[in-house]
Every structure is written in structure tokens, then in C-alpha cells.
Amino acid sequence: MLVVENLNKSFGSKHVLKDINLRVKKGEILMITGKSGVGKTTLIRCLCSLENFDSGSIRFENGDEGDNSIGLVSQSFDLFPHFTVMKNITYPLIKAKKYKKQDAIKKAEELIELLGLKGLEENYEFQLSGGQKQRVAIARALAMEPQYICFDEPTSALDYKLRDSVGELIRKVASRGMGVIVITHDREFAKKYADRIFQLGA
């Protein structure tokens, strides 16, 4: 279980996160909603160790310790534009987790199949649609085998049909036993796909 207790974060005189407490189980989908400016993205950045917090704690209980415990799929996806789909997924495995190239390719192929990316292995970022880029970013995050995965506004600027496809993808990720944390401004999406909703700034 991921446990956040009394988390505080300020930027200068602005107290963005104030005594945040939440728990996320493996296999659970937690949606974090709230108005713009209440600190949703700051919270996710703190969870993923991209931002330092001022006080409080983020910890794992019940033997959840491990490297790369929390993955992130950002709004901009952050793919390497000069890498193919396959290399975007395998590169972090080889570089950070010291996989042999063939083992990394095998793992990537499984995720490409899972996420409906078959046939796009040699495509570059500019050849992909927004939804395809998102799935590559998800595949890359899943390849690192995090125990929890965060999505930052995964449905922003998507129409209803694509929004539901993202919801189903998130359910698929949770069904693999990962805890899923989703930052969203979309209350309807949260109600449809969340196991629990946490309203920030309420």
C-alpha cells in the first residue's frame, strides 16, 4: 500500500499542498480531482520524486519497497522523438535496468501487443497519433514494472470516444495488479472509472 501522510508543499508564500493524507492499494484506481491551481500536478510530481516536499511522508507498507515503485505517464508523454516506438520502450530497460537487448525487446513486444501497438514498432513519434503516443508512453512506464503508476490529465483534449478508450486502458493496467493514480479535472470520467475519488482542495 502507498501511504501519504500530512504532505505539505509551498512555493514561496503559496501553500499548494496542505496536510494531504491518502492511501492507495495495489490494483486500485484512485482519481484525484480538483480545480485548476489546487496542486494536482504538484502532488503527482511529489509522488514520483520529481518535486521535493516540505514536510510529511510518502512511504510503502506491507513489503512494497522497491526500485521504480511509482511510474509516470505525463500529459506531454515525453517520448524520445529520434527513437522508434520499440526503442522508446527498450532504451530505459537497457539503460536503467541493465536488460540484455533481446530480453528488453521481448518485454516490449508483449506490451506492444497488450496496448494495441502492433505494426508500429518502427514508427517515430511524428508518425503517431496522440492516442498512439499515449499508449507508447504507457508501455514504456509499464516496462519498468512499477508497483504504482500515475497518469497526469490523461483525457485532456480528448473526445468522448477516445476518453473511454483511455479509461479501459487504465482498467487494464489496474487489472495487472498495479495501483493507479489519475490526476483529472474530468469529474464524469472519474465517476465512471475510479474505484475511489479524492478531491484536492475541497
Side-chain angles (χ1 to χ4, degrees), residues 115-135:
L115 295 169
L117 292 165
K118 199 80 176 157
L120 300 175
E121 293 89 341
E122 298 308 310
N123 283 32
Y124 290 87
E125 183 183 30
F126 75 92
Q127 298 171 303
L128 303 174
S129 69
Q132 289 166 343
K133 290 175 191 176
Q134 185 176 55
R135 281 180 277 156

Side-chain angles (χ1 to χ4, degrees), residues 105-124:
I105 289 171
K106 186 180 177 185
K107 190 175 191 69
E109 285 173 343
E110 291 169 3
L111 291 165
I112 283 167
E113 183 76 39
L114 176 76
L115 295 169
L117 292 165
K118 199 80 176 157
L120 300 175
E121 293 89 341
E122 298 308 310
N123 283 32
Y124 290 87

Side-chain angles (χ1 to χ4, degrees), residues 26-58:
K26 284 186 176 180
E28 179 181 30
I29 300 171
L30 175 72
M31 299 262 183
I32 300 175
T33 66
K35 295 177 183 176
S36 294
V38 297
K40 298 189 299 296
T41 296
T42 299
L43 174 57
I44 220 171
R45 286 178 62 81
C46 288
L47 292 176
C48 297
S49 302
L50 297 172
E51 191 81 60
N52 294 323
F53 50 91
D54 302 327
S55 63
S57 65
I58 298 170

Side-chain angles (χ1 to χ4, degrees), residues 4-8 17-22 53 55-57:
V4 179
E5 286 188 339
N6 300 319
L7 196 73
N8 286 272
L17 301 176
K18 189 172 183 181
D19 296 327
I20 303 299
N21 292 279
L22 57 89
F53 50 91
S55 63
S57 65

Side-chain angles (χ1 to χ4, degrees), residues 25-28 146-148 171-180:
K25 299 174 187 172
K26 284 186 176 180
E28 179 181 30
Q147 294 165 15
Y148 298 85
R171 280 182 176 163
K172 192 178 282 190
V173 170
S175 73
R176 292 167 69 89
M178 290 180 192
V180 179

Side-chain angles (χ1 to χ4, degrees), residues 84-102:
T84 62
V85 166
M86 177 62 77
K87 193 168 181 181
N88 260 289
I89 301 168
T90 58
Y91 181 76
L93 285 171
I94 295 165
K95 197 79 174 169
K97 299 201 88 174
K98 309 302 180 190
Y99 269 58
K100 291 178 181 174
K101 186 176 180 181
Q102 280 311 115

Side-chain angles (χ1 to χ4, degrees), residues 140-195:
R140 184 177 61 186
L142 293 180
M144 300 300 283
E145 298 182 340
Q147 294 165 15
Y148 298 85
I149 188 165
C150 297
F151 291 82
D152 189 4
E153 296 285 5
T155 62
S156 60
L158 295 183
D159 63 27
Y160 280 89
K161 188 176 179 183
L162 285 172
R163 187 181 72 168
D164 283 341
S165 71
V166 172
E168 293 305 325
L169 267 178
I170 286 170
R171 280 182 176 163
K172 192 178 282 190
V173 170
S175 73
R176 292 167 69 89
M178 290 180 192
V180 179
I181 302 158
V182 182
I183 298 293
T184 183
H185 65 280
D186 189 336
R187 291 283 299 174
E188 280 186 40
F189 178 77
K191 285 176 184 175
K192 187 170 183 179
Y193 292 102
D195 294 316

